[in-house]
Amino acid sequence: MSMLENKIAVVTGASRGIGKSIAESLAAAGAHVILTSKKDGKDNLREVKDGIEAEGGEATVIPSDISDYDSVSRFFDEVHSRFSKIDLLINNAGTTVTKKAFDIDEKDWDHVLNTNLKGLFFSCQMAGKIMNENGGGKIVNISSVFGSVGTAAISPYTASKGGVTQLTKSLAIEWARHGIQVNAVAPGYVKTDMNADIFESSTIKDRIIKKIPMRRLGTTTEVASTVLFLCTDEASYITGHTLFVDGGWVSE
């Protein structure tokens, strides 16, 4: 596959799970993928890079902390200096805190919102400026079904993902004239290393499965394939849209 040949793609939160699958998918389609996550994920990023290169793809590791404005700024300055352009930005980095709303403190709130919404916005802004210099590009933000469907015990997360969905629409409208498409992908429950412990309980797993019309969890590959589609010319007339990869959850 070479549909993304000569494209420079940034994937945040690329060290594992959905981000890793997205990076591998874009690289397999011919893009040079810039892998980033927090510094404590550096070794994992190198493993992802090695795996991509073993399959004949191209990848570069540049660690950054999406929740820290200065780190994000340094990251995009380095990308601009080394590659001169960004064609694709996938904002996948995210985090959550599982607590009842009465127990959420300011530190919890800032931890989630700084990563999932503030950091995502400034990544869009900084990448968008580079894209604008080069005639356009494509941004795909990873939202969640919980940006549209409420649930208990993760209120900062649901607030942040609802913000991602609305931010995607606003940026798409503002930047359409600059040739920058902005879309979002909203996964439902996808089993990854990060949430594997949730599914150790058959009771919890069964309760989740019953909410999904397709009666199964999604896979990281299914999310990555959706992101890949939005990054190709096949999606050239789609912007401001959130595409749910949720087995029909939000349709009920």
Side-chain angles (χ1 to χ4, degrees):
M1 295 175 67
S2 58
M3 64 182 76
L4 299 182
E5 189 174 2
N6 299 320
K7 302 292 187 183
I8 300 297
V10 171
V11 181
T12 72
S15 63
R16 60 180 178 170
I18 290 173
K20 176 176 180 286
S21 288
I22 291 170
E24 291 169 343
S25 178
L26 298 181
H32 184 121
V33 182
I34 301 168
L35 310 166
T36 190
S37 70
K38 286 186 178 182
K39 290 183 179 179
D40 58 10
K42 191 172 183 179
D43 290 341
N44 288 342
L45 288 176
R46 286 178 173 164
E47 288 181 11
V48 177
K49 178 180 185 292
D50 290 344
I52 287 173
E53 292 178 341
E55 296 295 322
E58 297 181 347
T60 298
V61 170
I62 307 177
S64 66
D65 181 355
I66 198 72
S67 69
D68 180 80
Y69 179 89
D70 290 337
S71 179
V72 174
S73 181
R74 288 192 299 270
F75 169 78
F76 283 102
D77 283 347
E78 183 172 350
V79 173
H80 193 202
S81 175
R82 291 174 63 175
F83 297 94
S84 300
K85 68 170 185 171
I86 297 173
D87 300 293
L88 309 168
L89 169 65
I90 316 302
N91 280 310
N92 171 73
T95 190
T96 191
V97 171
T98 304
K99 287 184 180 179
K100 293 183 178 179
F102 283 137
D103 299 324
I104 295 290
D105 59 26
E106 184 180 16
K107 184 178 178 181
D108 296 326
W109 181 267
D110 288 346
H111 171 66
V112 176
L113 271 292
N114 285 350
T115 300
N116 295 6
L117 191 55
K118 177 184 173 181
L120 181 144
F121 169 75
F122 284 108
S123 293
C124 288
Q125 182 196 72
M126 294 174 196
K129 289 179 179 179
I130 297 170
M131 290 176 178
N132 189 39
E133 291 176 2
N134 291 278
K138 297 175 185 284
I139 296 172
V140 181
N141 298 320
I142 304 303
S143 184
S144 168
V145 291
F146 293 122
S148 298
V149 177
T151 191
I154 53 169
S155 52
Y157 182 83
T158 60
S160 71
K161 292 302 185 178
V164 169
T165 299
Q166 290 301 108
L167 179 62
T168 296
K169 294 177 182 180
S170 295
L171 295 181
I173 292 168
E174 188 170 340
W175 292 348
R177 69 192 65 185
H178 300 294
I180 301 171
Q181 293 170 248
V182 188
N183 290 293
V185 170
Y189 270 107
V190 174
K191 188 173 181 179
T192 66
D193 292 341
M194 182 181 292
N195 64 19
D197 59 324
I198 295 174
F199 303 113
E200 289 179 2
S201 166
S202 58
T203 302
I204 294 175
K205 183 176 179 179
D206 289 345
R207 187 166 69 241
I208 290 170
I209 293 295
K210 287 178 181 178
K211 292 182 177 181
I212 304 170
M214 291 181 72
R215 294 297 187 266
R216 68 173 178 85
L217 303 176
T219 68
T220 60
T221 300
E222 287 170 324
V223 178
S225 296
T226 306
V227 172
L228 175 60
F229 164 68
L230 291 172
C231 288
T232 68
D233 290 341
E234 301 299 317
S236 59
Y237 200 53
I238 300 173
T239 197
H241 182 69
T242 295
L243 183 51
F244 289 91
V245 185
D246 65 348
W249 188 337
V250 298
S251 298
E252 284 203 324

